[in-house]
Amino acid sequence: MSITPPIRRITAPQIRARKGGEPIVSLTSYHAHTAAIVDRYADFILVGDSLGMVMHGMDSTVGVPLDLMIMHGRAVVRGTSRALIVVDMPFGTYEESPNMAFRNAAKIMKETACGAVKLEGGARMAETIRFLSERGIPVMAHIGLTPQSVNTMGGFKVQGRDEAAWQVHIDDARAVAAAGAFALVVEGVVEDLADRITDAVDIPTIGIGASRRCDGQILVLEDMLGLNPRVPKFVKMYGDLGPAIERAVAEYAEEVKSRAFPGGENVYR
Ligand code: KIV
């Protein structure tokens, strides 16, 4: 018998059941201590591959390796006890075949103990989503502006400005929902298209730069805290921690240089 109490986390089916109900709160997190704070408020926490850009200074998410996702995923799981933890499958680890996707998704789930994975793509990923879901891996899909396709999209471009392209996105949403995805991130699409997508599927839509009518919202934590120098235009900043960090570092540097540690703080006695 185990002597530690079981952790009761929110599950993928519970998120799935929130379609049209109480809005789903989610944020990204990449490390244990911020995740512990987010855990008190979020229904799910995404260990997004945006960590390549936000934490590691990459130009896009294309270069993010699987091992890095696993390392950050483990930290976030360690720091949390309540929210569902979803880990992104990075570029090149799932597109080739359902078998490859299963191998890598299973590795992520075994090595991080997360509760679900996310992958980018609509109709073209439906077969893979079905393959994973039928084999015990809850999948969150991600359509609209899909950052791993930055090189074929020609940049991080808002989708659906031309109404003629809406049907492709709506079909993508329907395809991943029919394939068994438990939720769907809709990123960087015009508001009316996001609303049409939300109305078209029976799984929760999670908006980012999309519409307030999505079933939930997600933001990159560092963006909304003012800690990312490249914040997308649509993001409301709920904090401005960059200047606060700068002030603290500058004060520390000044005290070190002038040998002015106040009252012997920072010294073991
Ligand atoms: O990688 C990420 O942080 C994401 C969110 C922007 C949804 O995919």
Side-chain angles (χ1 to χ4, degrees):
M1 201 177 95
S2 169
I3 52 164
T4 48
I7 291 177
R8 298 227 182 276
R9 287 181 184 274
I10 295 171
T11 63
Q14 285 171 330
I15 297 290
R16 163 84 181 76
R18 297 266 295 271
K19 174 72 185 176
E22 189 192 354
I24 297 163
V25 178
S26 57
L27 281 164
T28 63
S29 180
Y30 318 122
H31 96 307
H33 304 307
T34 52
I37 298 170
V38 174
D39 194 40
R40 297 200 276 274
Y41 303 93
D43 298 302
F44 77 85
I45 297 176
L46 174 68
V47 184
D49 62 352
S50 53
L51 64 80
M53 300 171 76
V54 176
M55 302 286 288
H56 296 274
M58 298 177 178
D59 284 337
S60 79
T61 56
V62 172
V64 174
L66 185 62
D67 287 350
L68 197 61
M69 296 307 304
I70 290 173
M71 189 184 297
H72 285 280
R74 290 168 79 160
V76 168
V77 169
R78 257 186 237 122
T80 56
S81 60
R82 183 185 152 275
L84 170 69
I85 307 302
V86 182
V87 175
D88 250 341
M89 299 195 70
F91 179 69
T93 65
Y94 61 93
E95 301 89 336
E96 194 178 312
S97 68
N99 286 328
M100 178 211 212
F102 182 82
R103 226 173 8 258
N104 287 323
K107 181 174 165 75
I108 290 173
M109 293 195 72
K110 280 168 182 261
E111 295 185 17
T112 67
C114 70
V117 298
K118 176 168 82 59
L119 53 79
E120 295 183 8
R124 70 187 161 84
M125 292 313 305
E127 185 193 351
T128 294
I129 291 170
R130 186 180 305 284
F131 193 87
L132 299 190
S133 324
E134 285 176 350
R135 287 163 179 77
I137 298 182
V139 181
M140 179 176 286
H142 182 159
I143 65 165
L145 193 171
T146 45
Q148 292 175 11
S149 305
V150 62
N151 291 308
T152 45
M153 285 187 309
F156 298 104
K157 293 192 174 144
V158 174
Q159 304 292 298
R161 288 209 193 280
D162 176 5
E163 203 172 331
W166 285 14
Q167 198 55 47
V168 173
H169 297 287
I170 293 166
D171 290 347
D172 275 344
R174 288 202 173 113
V176 297
F182 71 92
L184 171 60
V185 169
V186 180
E187 176 168 1
V189 305
V190 297
E191 194 169 358
D192 288 347
L193 171 57
D195 292 345
R196 289 276 297 276
I197 291 171
T198 294
D199 292 340
V201 293
D202 61 356
I203 58 173
T205 53
I206 311 296
I208 172 162
S211 166
R212 72 195 74 199
R213 275 197 55 224
C214 288
D215 299 293
Q217 301 291 332
I218 186 164
L219 285 176
V220 170
L221 182 66
E222 280 72 5
D223 287 354
M224 58 91 96
L225 292 180
L227 275 175
N228 183 1
R230 294 188 294 189
V231 180
K233 276 204 285 260
F234 68 85
V235 175
K236 173 178 170 189
M237 305 251 269
Y238 290 81
D240 196 8
L241 300 194
I245 292 175
E246 172 129 22
R247 270 195 305 279
V249 172
E251 184 184 332
Y252 166 73
E254 190 45 46
E255 289 186 353
V256 171
K257 284 194 213 153
S258 61
R259 298 187 186 281
F261 276 164
E265 284 161 33
N266 301 318
V267 176
Y268 282 116
R269 278 183 278 202

